[in-house]
Amino acid sequence: MIFLRPYAWKWKPMGARNAAYLRFYHLARQHELIQSNALKYPRIRHEGGAPMRIPFFREKFKDVEMGKHADEEVIIHGRVQSVRRAGNKLMFLDLKGEFEHVQGLCNFNKLQVTGVELGEFKTLAKLLNRGDIVSITGRATKTPTGELSIEATRLPELLTPALAPLPFKLEDEEVRIQHRHVDMLVSRKTIDTLRLRSHLIKYLRDFFHERGFLEFQTPILAENASGATARPFTVTASETSVNKNLAMRIAPELWLKRLVVGGVDKVFELGPAFRNEGIDQTHNPEFTMCEFYNAYANLDDLITLTEELICGAASHCRDLIATKLDSLPPIDMSQYQRPFQQLEFIPALESALGFKLPDLSAPSAREDLLALLKQHNLDVPGLNKPDITLAKLLDNLASEFLEPYSLTKPLFITHHPVCMSPLSKSFLCPKTGQHVSARTELFINGKELANMYEEENDPASQRQKFVDQLNAAKREASLAPGVYNEEGESAMEVDESYVQALESGLPPTGGWGCGIERMVMLFSGTKRISDCLSFGNLRHVTNVPGAVRTGEDEEKAREMTDEAEKKGRRERKREKKEDVSESEA
């Protein structure tokens, strides 16, 4: 039906959803396809051989001569990006598949010898829309303008008709998120960011496999959530013999260290983690973590391996962006020169503050530090909040005075106070006399990227650290939001089964963790974690609107369809007159 053409071809960048129009388009498009007996979804048949991928087609026939045709007849499948008609006997299709384009050329004068009739050709030419998925059988050639094309030797086949219009751009942010599949089709940067994520995950897996690590999957559901300080999601297992509340994991750490105890000296996992916490530009309750544990590795080994991994990943992503993912900003490799900067937490912070820190292991450490900060008139985020914990206060100080050093070059902040790292080994710092952890964090561009420890392997010390952490949470219940659940029960517990596992002997082990989305944000140049997730953050996936159509929308759609039908009848009469004129000529 020609009446659809004004709507199909004048489709503008999509703003707020117009339900009546979209419903009209859907009904009219269906009607058009039914009238042409084309509302079909055929199975794929490989009668003429297996289809050729568009990237392979472009590579194989890139040297075909202009005006000449390749001998080999091939089949290509792709999504129509545009249809251009030159009269009634010539049609050009822009096809896209696997993120690359190729031109399809359909010339009736050459198809006529295969038994194709003009009416059949014209019907298909009018029927094809942007968004349709088609199959073309033909031979490679180059047009006079040098455009690599596939010239059809058979009439193209419609594999999947698009019943909804495919815009050229989505401008409204909510529409982009709620119709992510459409955004992927029309926004190159959206899909390139997600493609970069996929390539980056493969790079990480290859990196670890090449160094002798084994990948394991560990439980997502367990009785307790441990391995980090965070509030877990809980679920009820009512249809199993377990029949109790379970927690979704907040980190795979303790499970992976059990594997090291079990003799897997080099182990890693890439998988989801869940934390019942807030959503912002860099945090989402569901995210992907990469953690590895390497027996007999110390902090220096972890730093060296991290530098190698990050520099290698940066180089890999730079090459991808230069060749395949060119909608993303280029990566400046000058900031990824080894060795990275290093700052020791307490000496560097004391130098920045201009005074000595109190004994951070003392019970009064929080009050002593607050008093010193007020005495020196230092304005620190959260300083006046009555609910700030010692660990959070120290973290805010590092954010204010240490992390900005990473804006020009990657930075390792090492040897945090013990209160900030309950799962790492600790020692008495000879420089400051403070008890510090064998831990370092990597920051790039002012953002934390990776965290690494020498893992605590003394069962008695680990149990005491669990107890100290729990007691501190109980002591400061009002100071630590998120430590307690809605029933007032602590989300932290002493993991006795893990302590028992340590009694079998955990070798001296280095552990490392990194959020995949943080790494994708770094190398893709995006500022929001939702851009690195296939379907956005938790708000987006829980608020996707259903295809609810009101009676008013249906009525508007019917009115628009009736009006379009009248226009279509007038257009068909005009076409018949044109066909008669052509035949007479």
Side-chain angles (χ1 to χ4, degrees):
M1 279 187 177
I2 201 67
F3 69 80
L4 267 179
R5 298 309 139 201
Y7 300 94
W9 289 102
K10 295 181 181 178
W11 185 249
K12 296 180 179 178
M14 192 173 180
R17 183 182 178 89
N18 186 331
Y21 174 75
L22 293 180
R23 178 58 177 154
F24 155 70
Y25 187 100
H26 182 273
L27 290 172
R29 176 68 168 152
Q30 268 192 321
H31 189 60
E32 174 188 48
L33 291 164
I34 290 170
Q35 279 203 336
S36 301
N37 194 29
L39 187 58
K40 300 176 181 179
Y41 299 85
R43 294 179 62 200
I44 286 290
R45 302 183 305 275
H46 294 324
E47 295 172 355
M52 183 176 288
R53 299 165 50 236
I54 288 179
F56 186 71
F57 176 89
R58 295 193 64 85
E59 179 62 28
K60 183 172 182 177
F61 298 112
K62 62 183 179 182
D63 296 324
V64 68
E65 292 183 29
M66 193 178 299
K68 300 289 182 67
H69 291 78
D71 295 331
E72 183 182 359
E73 186 177 75
V74 299
I75 302 170
I76 281 182
H77 302 329
R79 187 181 294 273
V80 176
Q81 300 300 298
S82 67
V83 183
R84 290 174 288 122
R85 303 171 185 83
N88 289 326
K89 298 182 180 180
L90 189 61
M91 173 173 59
F92 298 91
L93 303 176
D94 178 18
L95 297 185
K96 183 178 180 182
E98 295 187 53
F99 316 108
E100 293 196 27
H101 292 255
V102 70
Q103 179 173 261
L105 172 60
C106 304
N107 187 336
F108 172 73
N109 291 330
K110 294 186 178 181
L111 292 174
Q112 189 175 15
V113 298
T114 66
V116 176
E117 296 180 358
L118 181 59
E120 190 181 3
F121 182 88
K122 289 170 65 176
T123 297
L124 179 68
K126 293 172 185 176
L127 198 64
L128 288 181
N129 256 3
R130 173 174 162 82
D132 290 341
I133 298 171
V134 300
S135 173
I136 295 183
T137 300
R139 292 186 172 88
T141 185
K142 275 188 181 173
T143 64
T145 60
E147 179 76 21
L148 179 62
S149 307
I150 177 170
E151 184 166 357
T153 54
R154 303 180 194 176
L155 192 67
E157 180 183 9
L158 179 60
L159 298 177
T160 305
L163 301 182
L166 180 62
F168 290 91
K169 185 178 180 181
L170 295 181
E171 292 184 336
D172 186 271
E173 187 64 25
E174 280 304 307
V175 172
R176 287 185 61 240
I177 292 299
Q178 293 169 0
H179 300 84
R180 186 73 161 190
H181 57 288
V182 178
D183 192 31
M184 292 177 190
L185 289 173
V186 302
S187 170
R188 185 62 186 265
K189 187 172 182 181
T190 295
I191 194 63
D192 278 358
T193 301
L194 298 176
R195 291 171 69 195
L196 182 72
R197 175 193 173 103
S198 179
H199 285 291
L200 197 52
I201 287 174
K202 182 182 183 301
Y203 170 84
L204 291 172
R205 283 199 164 99
D206 292 345
F207 180 91
F208 290 122
H209 286 146
E210 289 167 3
R211 287 156 183 78
F213 285 82
L214 296 177
E215 183 176 10
F216 277 70
Q217 279 74 49
T218 59
I220 288 177
L221 293 174
E223 188 171 2
N224 301 310
S226 52
T229 304
R231 190 180 199 178
F233 287 97
T234 57
V235 296
T236 302
S238 59
E239 301 299 324
T240 68
S241 58
V242 177
N243 199 27
K244 61 165 60 175
N245 286 338
L246 301 176
M248 299 180 76
R249 74 174 182 195
I250 56 178
E253 177 171 346
L254 301 190
W255 294 109
L256 291 170
K257 286 192 280 191
R258 285 179 174 93
L259 288 168
V260 180
V261 172
V264 187
D265 285 351
K266 304 180 86 171
V267 63
F268 79 98
E269 181 172 10
L270 267 160
F274 308 87
R275 298 183 181 179
N276 197 354
E277 298 175 341
I279 300 173
D280 59 29
Q281 283 202 325
T282 59
H283 295 86
N284 187 55
E286 179 183 356
F287 60 101
T288 305
M289 287 195 73
C290 177
E291 291 196 9
F292 78 76
Y293 293 86
N294 189 355
Y296 314 111
N298 63 16
L299 207 56
D300 290 337
D301 297 325
L302 295 175
I303 288 173
T304 300
L305 193 61
T306 302
E307 289 180 342
E308 186 180 351
L309 186 151
I310 297 300
C311 290
S315 177
H316 182 62
C317 291
R318 177 201 59 189
D319 294 343
L320 286 168
I321 290 169
T323 55
K324 295 181 178 180
L325 314 178
D326 53 12
S327 69
L328 302 179
I331 293 175
D332 179 10
M333 290 300 297
S334 65
Q335 68 169 322
Y336 296 104
Q337 301 300 314
R338 301 169 64 183
F340 296 169
Q341 304 176 86
Q342 290 190 33
L343 287 178
E344 283 194 79
F345 191 105
I346 293 177
L349 190 56
E350 288 180 338
S351 175
L353 294 174
F355 60 82
K356 287 278 186 182
L357 296 177
D359 180 2
L360 297 175
S361 300
S364 61
R366 175 179 171 275
E367 288 70 25
D368 295 341
L369 180 55
L370 286 171
L372 278 170
L373 292 171
K374 290 177 182 177
Q375 178 185 332
H376 288 80
N377 297 317
L378 287 171
D379 184 18
V380 180
L383 179 63
N384 297 317
K385 290 184 177 179
D387 59 351
I388 194 166
T389 62
L390 176 61
K392 182 61 178 172
L393 180 59
L394 289 167
D395 188 58
N396 286 352
L397 287 168
S399 178
E400 187 78 11
F401 295 102
L402 303 184
E403 293 171 19
Y405 285 98
S406 70
L407 293 173
T408 55
K409 190 176 180 182
L411 167 69
F412 288 109
I413 299 178
T414 65
H415 302 157
H416 300 64
V418 168
C419 66
M420 301 177 72
S421 313
L423 293 174
S424 76
K425 294 185 78 68
S426 56
F427 62 95
L428 188 67
C429 177
K431 296 180 183 178
T432 61
Q434 299 266 18
H435 283 91
V436 297
S437 58
R439 173 193 180 191
T440 184
E441 286 181 292
L442 174 64
F443 289 84
I444 301 180
N445 294 338
K447 305 292 184 183
E448 179 193 358
L449 187 67
N451 197 6
M452 55 214 83
Y453 304 146
E454 289 180 21
E455 303 296 337
E456 180 60 79
N457 61 344
D458 179 343
S461 295
Q462 182 61 82
R463 191 180 194 288
Q464 188 57 51
K465 287 178 179 178
F466 278 145
V467 171
D468 291 344
Q469 185 183 29
L470 184 57
N471 288 338
K474 287 179 178 178
R475 224 176 22 247
E476 303 175 359
S478 62
L479 309 179
V483 172
Y484 287 77
N485 61 24
E486 292 176 0
E487 289 75 33
E489 299 170 342
S490 173
M492 294 179 180
E493 291 189 19
V494 175
D495 194 330
E496 295 290 359
S497 67
Y498 175 69
V499 174
Q500 186 178 6
L502 291 183
E503 292 173 356
S504 296
L506 173 68
T509 297
W512 183 95
C514 173
I516 295 299
E517 288 79 15
R518 293 282 181 92
M519 195 177 287
V520 177
M521 289 173 68
L522 171 67
F523 294 128
S524 69
T526 185
K527 304 298 182 185
R528 300 179 303 184
I529 190 172
S530 59
D531 293 334
C532 307
L533 299 164
S534 298
F535 294 95
N537 63 34
L538 185 62
R539 287 197 192 100
H540 301 144
V541 300
T542 55
N543 289 316
V544 174
V548 178
R549 290 161 180 152
T550 65
E552 184 180 352
D553 289 338
E554 292 284 354
E555 186 59 34
K556 287 181 180 177
R558 288 193 195 96
E559 290 174 3
M560 295 169 78
T561 304
D562 291 342
E563 180 61 30
E565 278 278 14
K566 295 175 184 176
K567 291 181 181 178
R569 284 194 291 269
R570 290 195 296 268
E571 187 65 27
R572 285 194 297 277
K573 289 179 181 178
R574 184 183 64 78
E575 278 191 347
K576 286 180 180 177
K577 290 179 181 178
E578 288 179 356
D579 289 343
V580 170
S581 299
E582 277 189 18
S583 61
E584 288 176 351

